[in-house]
Amino acid sequence: MPRRTAWRVCNVPGCPEYTRHSKCDDHRGEAEQQRGSARQRGYDVEHEQRFRKPVLLRDPTCVCTDEGHGHSSPCGQPSRHADHYPQDRRALAAAGLDPNDPRYGRGLCGPCHSSHTAAEQPGGWHR
């Protein structure tokens, strides 16, 4: 039987709408629009070839050591995502640095990447 999610108030301050997600439909749409499409965020063929592949070859297992994820030593799960770190892609581009340079990345497993993205990115799931 599918799991049912409880209704709750939208997490945007002042919004009285009830939702089964963290944000109501209107605010989820706004957050997605602010986030932009993958292509608008710079994730294209060049990103795939110059950033993602080299990062995952260098870090075949998750290198996350964030205490907030429940571990202080590297996670060790297989890496599935090439994450920009310590600055995100936007900050690197704004600083005039090449966001496709693999030295600005780290390999993360799915759960660690999702937790990091949700907590840190504008329009992230928990904002």
Side-chain angles (χ1 to χ4, degrees):
M1 182 168 184
R3 185 175 164 210
R4 300 186 93 184
T5 306
W7 287 92
R8 56 183 159 245
V9 176
C10 175
N11 71 359
V12 174
C15 181
E17 295 295 319
Y18 281 91
T19 179
R20 290 192 184 272
H21 307 283
S22 59
K23 292 180 171 75
C24 67
D25 291 341
D26 290 341
H27 288 115
R28 280 186 10 185
E30 288 174 12
E32 282 299 316
Q33 194 169 26
Q34 178 186 2
R35 187 171 181 233
S37 70
R39 182 154 311 275
Q40 288 170 327
R41 293 189 317 264
Y43 300 106
D44 54 12
V45 173
E46 184 179 8
H47 166 79
E48 175 73 24
Q49 298 298 318
R50 290 190 48 229
F51 182 75
R52 188 174 189 278
K53 283 185 180 182
V55 168
L56 294 180
L57 283 172
R58 183 192 66 216
D59 300 333
T61 59
C62 182
V63 297
C64 176
T65 57
D66 297 342
E67 292 281 338
H69 299 167
H71 46 81
S72 57
S73 59
C75 173
Q77 297 297 316
S79 290
R80 300 283 184 243
H81 301 276
D83 182 54
H84 288 90
Y85 185 81
Q87 295 178 305
D88 64 28
R89 182 176 187 82
R90 291 178 186 141
L92 290 167
L97 300 171
D98 179 8
N100 288 322
D101 187 334
R103 68 182 156 169
Y104 301 121
R106 64 181 177 170
L108 296 180
C109 66
C112 288
H113 183 258
S114 293
S115 295
H116 173 73
T117 301
E120 302 296 327
Q121 294 298 310
W125 301 287
H126 298 297
R127 294 192 179 233

